[in-house]
Amino acid sequence: MARIPTYDLNDGTTIPAIGFGTYPLRGDDGTEAIRTAIEAGYRLVDTAVNYENEREVGEAIRRSGVPRDELVVASKIPGRHHAYDDAIASVRESLDRLRLERTDLHLIHWPNPSQGRFVEAWRALVQLQKDGLVRSIGVSNFTEEHLERIIDDTGVTPAVNQVELHPRFPQDHMRAVHARLGIRTEAWSPMGKRRAPLEEDAVRAAADAHGVSPGQVILRWHVQLGSLPIPKSADPARQAQNLDVFGFELTDDEMAAVSGLAEDDGRLFGGDPDTHEEM
Ligand SMILES: NC(=O)C1=CN([C@@H]2O[C@H](COP(=O)(O)OP(=O)(O)OC[C@H]3O[C@@H](n4cnc5c(N)ncnc54)[C@H](OP(=O)(O)O)[C@@H]3O)[C@@H](O)[C@H]2O)C=CC1
Ligand SMILES: O=C(O)C(=O)[C@@H](O)[C@H](O)C(=O)CO
């Protein structure tokens, strides 16, 4: 099994350079899909309270037989749990469902700025990290302004910001913000989900040139951008293929051609964190 490179995080820990997205894998089939992904070599597994599959993730980990300390298990606090005490309880409930002693990465799922309580949720994560219930702490869908607010308030910089990022929406600005602040960029819907540009010439040409699939070209584009993708696949063959992106390199021209697929507003469903809120 190929070794997956890792990134250093700003809290002194490391994280695999690619992870496995688990939404919407649920039930027995979901557990089996997550187990086959771990068997294929994924060591970072991304879940959330709102995916309603933390039990399946925990069960898949146990069935995989992979030692717990080799896995990075990540979950997320939903919008309805942003109040300080609710955020603490949310993480404890996630641990109960996962049947784990701690998560390795815990994120605030969406900032929900109109509620104005994401700073409370961040303070709770800072405390939970001190208490050893979570290893690394981060956020998801935070803008530059949201990041600066929590850092100013606590002095603690998130290790990770998980944002929408794919060839149609490359997030140049947020990647620059993350580089400035020392935050690792993690990419959700890294393929572009239902709008994955698998048939676009830029992707097809690079796939042909390197003898790989269009999906591998997209994931390799992430790797070379320094973006940590978390592709979801229910199919064992595609799960394995998506991990196999460390043995070839896109040229500068190929990288530019894939980045050239960016659209003015390439978001998949209008998930602008200033206005899109999820409870
Ligand atoms: N923080 C947040 O707000 C959000 C986080 N997420 C996270 O990001 C993860 C991934 O995002 P997701 O929205 O699923 O989108 P992806 O971009 O990962 O796309 C998933 C789709 O691509 C297909 N696919 C996967 N690999 C290949 C391949 N090699 N070739 C062709 N098709 C492929 C899958 O089909 P198949 O299963 O049949 O292979 C599935 O339909 C989620 O599972 C979740 O963990 C997602 C959205 C928001
Ligand atoms: O999957 C997630 O993490 C989400 O935050 C949702 O927005 C999800 O992408 C969705 O259901 C969008 O239609």
Side-chain angles (χ1 to χ4, degrees), residues 79-130:
R80 64 187 177 282
H81 295 162
H82 280 192
Y84 184 89
D85 289 343
D86 292 345
I88 301 271
S90 182
V91 171
R92 290 186 180 280
E93 286 160 13
S94 287
L95 292 173
D96 286 347
R97 283 187 292 269
L98 287 158
R99 289 176 48 204
L100 295 177
E101 305 271 306
R102 64 155 205 200
T103 55
D104 304 290
L105 178 63
H106 225 104
L107 310 178
I108 302 172
H109 202 148
W110 286 87
N112 290 10
S114 79
Q115 283 184 83
R117 304 195 85 159
F118 62 80
V119 177
E120 279 186 62
W122 185 244
R123 284 190 206 133
L125 280 180
V126 170
Q127 187 58 46
L128 287 157
Q129 186 181 38
K130 285 187 184 138

Side-chain angles (χ1 to χ4, degrees), residues 20-24 46-47 51 76 109-110 140-141 162-163 187-194 196 198 213-216 219 230-235 238 241-242 268-269 278:
F20 184 68
T22 67
Y23 179 79
D46 180 80
T47 181
Y51 300 170
K76 312 190 191 80
H109 202 148
W110 286 87
S140 178
N141 300 301
Q162 184 185 112
V163 294
W188 61 256
S189 295
M191 296 292 200
K193 204 171 185 173
R194 65 189 81 83
L198 301 168
S213 74
Q216 286 171 301
L219 294 170
I230 48 167
K232 170 265 172 187
S233 178
D235 176 69
R238 281 190 290 280
Q241 181 193 111
N242 290 349
L268 291 171
F269 60 91
E278 294 194 9

Side-chain angles (χ1 to χ4, degrees), residues 77-278:
I77 297 174
R80 64 187 177 282
H81 295 162
H82 280 192
Y84 184 89
D85 289 343
D86 292 345
I88 301 271
S90 182
V91 171
R92 290 186 180 280
E93 286 160 13
S94 287
L95 292 173
D96 286 347
R97 283 187 292 269
L98 287 158
R99 289 176 48 204
L100 295 177
E101 305 271 306
R102 64 155 205 200
T103 55
D104 304 290
L105 178 63
H106 225 104
L107 310 178
I108 302 172
H109 202 148
W110 286 87
N112 290 10
S114 79
Q115 283 184 83
R117 304 195 85 159
F118 62 80
V119 177
E120 279 186 62
W122 185 244
R123 284 190 206 133
L125 280 180
V126 170
Q127 187 58 46
L128 287 157
Q129 186 181 38
K130 285 187 184 138
D131 294 342
L133 272 74
V134 302
R135 190 198 71 178
S136 295
I137 56 176
V139 294
S140 178
N141 300 301
F142 273 42
T143 66
E144 181 174 21
E145 187 193 334
H146 304 143
L147 290 171
E148 282 174 348
R149 272 200 59 198
I150 59 173
I151 296 167
D152 286 350
D153 189 81
T154 60
V156 181
T157 302
V160 163
N161 189 14
Q162 184 185 112
V163 294
E164 177 173 359
L165 201 172
H166 43 76
R168 299 196 196 277
F169 194 65
Q171 291 273 22
D172 292 348
H173 176 67
M174 286 311 299
R175 286 190 292 109
V177 169
H178 295 160
R180 174 170 68 79
L181 296 172
I183 297 171
R184 173 57 46 194
T185 303
E186 193 179 17
W188 61 256
S189 295
M191 296 292 200
K193 204 171 185 173
R194 65 189 81 83
R195 298 198 59 225
L198 301 168
E199 302 298 332
E200 295 280 359
D201 286 349
V203 174
R204 281 238 152 254
D208 289 347
H210 294 277
V212 297
S213 74
Q216 286 171 301
V217 168
I218 296 172
L219 294 170
R220 181 67 205 181
W221 172 84
H222 281 275
V223 169
Q224 289 181 221
L225 284 185
S227 155
L228 191 171
I230 48 167
K232 170 265 172 187
S233 178
D235 176 69
R238 281 190 290 280
Q239 290 172 353
Q241 181 193 111
N242 290 349
L243 265 188
D244 185 13
V245 294
F246 299 100
F248 67 101
E249 190 163 343
L250 300 177
T251 64
D252 290 348
D253 286 349
E254 288 165 343
M255 284 295 290
V258 177
S259 296
L261 297 171
E263 297 171 359
D264 279 348
D265 186 5
R267 292 186 195 273
L268 291 171
F269 60 91
D272 178 346
D274 279 324
T275 49
H276 177 83
E277 306 206 339
E278 294 194 9

